[in-house]
């Protein structure tokens, strides 16, 4: 049985003090989640990673990005050893905002995922099509390419440390949800593609949906057979709605 996963993506929100305040209220939510076999956590900015990690227990604290080199002349970047040094072992890779604004290519994502795997860390690899691609019926072509490029040259055994998040770009932060049927269809396609690439391990991989998920609609997505969880932006910022989403999954 695959676990459920709720991961909040805070993007460029919350000061360290605001992040600490959220962390100070996490304990009962993390306990409830643990009791119900649900993995929960958030991805704060680099600045707040340490504070949230220190202030929580049984709670995933993920970085929103990392560099694939260990150190060097890469101004503004943060490396995997730096994250490891503060006990951060989950990283979001290839979020559409990074693909759009920071030239995050499938190839770069692949380098990062391989490096994370080598360090025993978990990657949450984001894939998804733009509105134009969706309207042209290219979703599976785009997502298929992102998977084959981003997840190439790995081993089946690496997939206990890889989560795939299907996030249609047109539904992120827009309030325009993909239907439950679309989420199921593409999450199932993700699983099929991984099966084609790496075999039966695909049935164990966590595949989650992201895009305007909130307390009112999260249970509907999770009721789909290939949707194991959600990557949530806006609705993860307030502790009340974060808690409501966990409760909706119990
Ligand atoms: C995201 O940031 O990955 C996301 C899905 O955002 P939102 O929930 O706000 O659409």
């Amino acid at each position: 049985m695959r676990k459920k996963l709720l991961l909040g993506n805070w993007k460029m929100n919350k000061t360290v003090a605001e992040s600490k305040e959220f962390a100070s209220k996490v304990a009962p939510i993390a306990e409830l989640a643990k009791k119900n076999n649900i993995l929960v956590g958030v991805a704060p900015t680099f600045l707040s990673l340490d504070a949230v990690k220190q202030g929580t227990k049984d709670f995933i604290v993920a970085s929103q990005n990392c560099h694939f080199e260990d150190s060097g002349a890469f101004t503004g970047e943060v490396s995997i050893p730096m994250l490891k040094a503060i006990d951060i072992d989950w990283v979001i890779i290839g979020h559409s905002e990074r693909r759009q604004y920071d030239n995050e290519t499938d190839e770069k994502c692949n380098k990062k995922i391989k490096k994370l795997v080598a360090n025993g860390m978990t990657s949450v690899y984001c894939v998804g099509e733009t509105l134009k691609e969706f309207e042209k019926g290219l979703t599976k072509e785009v997502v298929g390419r992102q998977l084959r490029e981003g997840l190439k040259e790995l081993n089946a055994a690496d997939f206990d440390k890889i989560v795939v998040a299907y996030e249609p770009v047109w539904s992120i932060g827009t309030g325009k949800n993909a239907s439950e049927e679309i989420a199921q269809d593409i999450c199932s396609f993700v699983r099929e593609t991984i099966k084609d690439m790496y075999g039966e391990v695909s049935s164990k991989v966590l595949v989650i949906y992201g895009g305007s998920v909130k307390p009112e609609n999260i249970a509907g997505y999770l009721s789909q057979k290939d949707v194991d969880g959600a990557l949530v932006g806006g609705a993860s910022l307030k502790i009340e709605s974060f808690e409501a989403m966990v409760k909706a999954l119990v």
Side-chain angles (χ1 to χ4, degrees):
M1 234 306 255
R2 295 187 298 266
K3 283 192 174 178
K4 295 177 190 169
L5 168 64
L6 170 62
L7 185 63
N9 173 18
W10 284 355
K11 314 190 188 202
M12 197 172 69
N13 291 294
K14 290 194 190 290
T15 61
V16 175
E18 288 163 349
S19 305
K20 276 186 184 168
E21 201 203 330
F22 185 104
S24 73
K25 296 176 181 157
V26 154
I29 303 171
E31 205 179 300
L32 176 70
K34 193 177 176 188
K35 254 193 221 150
N36 289 281
N37 223 11
I38 306 169
L39 300 168
V40 280
V42 295
T45 67
F46 286 135
L47 276 181
S48 295
L49 284 171
D50 194 35
V52 179
K53 186 74 189 177
Q54 302 277 342
T56 55
K57 195 173 140 249
D58 296 322
F59 197 66
I60 295 163
V61 183
S63 175
Q64 296 174 19
N65 182 34
C66 67
H67 200 278
F68 50 82
E69 294 291 353
D70 284 353
S71 62
F74 301 102
T75 303
E77 297 284 347
V78 166
S79 73
I80 290 170
M82 292 170 189
L83 294 173
K84 266 181 111 169
I86 55 166
D87 291 330
I88 299 299
D89 55 5
W90 280 59
V91 184
I92 296 175
I93 297 294
H95 190 277
S96 66
E97 286 148 19
R98 294 202 53 80
R99 289 180 185 265
Q100 190 181 348
Y101 306 125
D102 295 281
N103 192 30
E104 187 91 323
T105 60
D106 294 336
E107 197 183 344
K108 256 197 210 172
C109 291
N110 182 248
K111 283 188 181 172
K112 294 179 183 191
I113 292 169
K114 283 197 275 198
K115 201 69 186 260
L116 286 165
V117 160
N119 279 276
M121 292 162 73
T122 299
S123 309
V124 180
Y125 180 47
C126 302
V127 297
E129 80 287 5
T130 63
L131 181 58
K132 248 193 200 154
E133 291 162 341
F134 174 73
E135 285 171 349
K136 285 188 184 158
L138 296 174
T139 301
K140 289 185 181 172
E141 193 178 307
V142 171
V143 170
R145 188 183 61 234
Q146 291 169 332
L147 292 170
R148 288 183 190 279
E149 284 299 309
L151 299 178
K152 68 185 176 192
E153 294 155 9
L154 296 166
N155 298 304
D158 300 334
F159 278 80
D160 62 343
K161 295 260 189 260
I162 293 173
V163 174
V164 176
Y166 167 57
E167 299 208 302
V169 179
W170 47 272
S171 75
I172 298 177
T174 59
K176 273 193 214 160
N177 296 79
S179 64
E180 290 168 17
E181 292 72 25
I182 293 177
Q184 164 56 26
D185 184 34
I186 305 304
C187 287
S188 149
F189 171 75
V190 167
R191 211 177 289 290
E192 280 303 307
T193 306
I194 295 172
K195 185 173 181 188
D196 191 43
M197 295 172 76
Y198 293 102
E200 286 308 324
V201 74
S202 63
S203 63
K204 297 195 186 122
V205 178
L206 293 188
V207 182
I208 64 177
Y209 167 77
S212 299
V213 173
K214 45 192 180 230
E216 303 78 57
N217 62 21
I218 192 166
Y221 288 113
L222 270 285
S223 69
Q224 302 297 312
K225 99 174 179 352
D226 284 292
V227 182
D228 301 317
L231 181 57
V232 184
S236 73
L237 290 168
K238 290 215 168 88
I239 193 82
E240 294 78 15
S241 59
F242 190 86
E243 181 174 26
M245 287 189 287
V246 175
K247 286 187 170 158
L249 297 185
V250 167

